[in-house]
Amino acid sequence: IALGVRDMLIVGTGGSLQPALPIGSLIVPTSAIREEGTSFHYAPAGSELTPDATLAQALAEAAIAQGGVVTFGPVWTTDAPYRELRSKVVAYGAMGALAVEMEAVARCALEQFRGVRLALLLAISDELFHEWRPGFRSAEVRAAQKLMARAALQVAGSLREEMAGA
């Protein structure tokens, strides 16, 4: 941001909280449940922190153009690795959270604080809605990561063209 970045496209992974989203599924977070510490340094408790809808839609459309299927919805952000308690998995899943991950809400807080745009595209790398099932190195996750990279590059190229034309 200090060097002039105005748009950020983030690709990453998350653990599924929903049976309809198995390993390799793609999600675009629309909001995040705050259960970490960083975001509170940028935005007060109760603030609505969301990715940029225009960039999120562009990422989703690019992923779909690459053959992906994308689900939009909230995620649960926690900065405590491997501390997704069963009670929280059940509760946040029942609230509609699609996945758990570690950075979305902090990045959205920074986006809002600094007045930039950000969107995220995540691949499901493991499942938590039943007994934990990791798939970090699976063929499904590798394929999803390649698809996400192509989608992000496509959107980045479009943003570059927009900047050149402005």
Side-chain angles (χ1 to χ4, degrees):
I1 295 170
L3 296 174
V5 170
R6 308 306 318 149
D7 298 314
M8 293 180 275
L9 305 171
I10 310 294
V11 295
T13 58
S16 178
L17 303 181
Q18 303 294 335
L21 296 170
I23 291 170
S25 298
L26 299 174
I27 64 171
V28 171
T30 56
S31 63
I33 299 165
R34 293 170 87 175
E35 195 174 85
E36 46 64 72
T38 302
S39 68
F40 295 96
H41 293 280
Y42 294 94
S47 297
E48 185 174 347
L49 302 171
T50 59
D52 182 81
T54 302
L55 279 184
Q57 186 64 41
L59 265 180
E61 289 173 5
I64 291 165
Q66 297 288 333
V69 175
V70 176
T71 302
F72 288 84
V75 295
W76 160 35
T77 299
T78 180
D79 53 8
Y82 303 106
R83 290 295 296 158
E84 298 91 356
L85 302 174
R86 173 68 37 214
S87 60
K88 290 184 180 189
V89 168
V90 170
Y92 291 137
M95 290 171 56
L98 303 179
V100 59
E101 53 72 56
M102 297 182 70
E103 302 95 10
V105 79
R107 289 177 173 172
C108 290
L110 178 64
E111 165 197 33
Q112 179 179 307
F113 185 79
R114 293 292 182 194
V116 297
R117 298 189 316 164
L118 172 139
L120 302 100
L121 178 60
L122 306 176
I124 296 299
S125 59
D126 54 318
E127 299 170 357
L128 289 91
F129 52 84
H130 49 64
E131 187 67 30
W132 184 50
R133 180 175 170 242
F136 302 106
R137 291 180 175 82
S138 67
E140 294 87 354
V141 171
R142 285 195 308 274
Q145 289 171 325
K146 288 177 184 176
L147 186 148
M148 291 189 307
R150 289 191 307 268
L153 288 171
Q154 179 182 332
V155 174
S158 297
L159 292 171
R160 184 174 179 178
E161 290 172 13
E162 285 177 20
M163 289 178 59

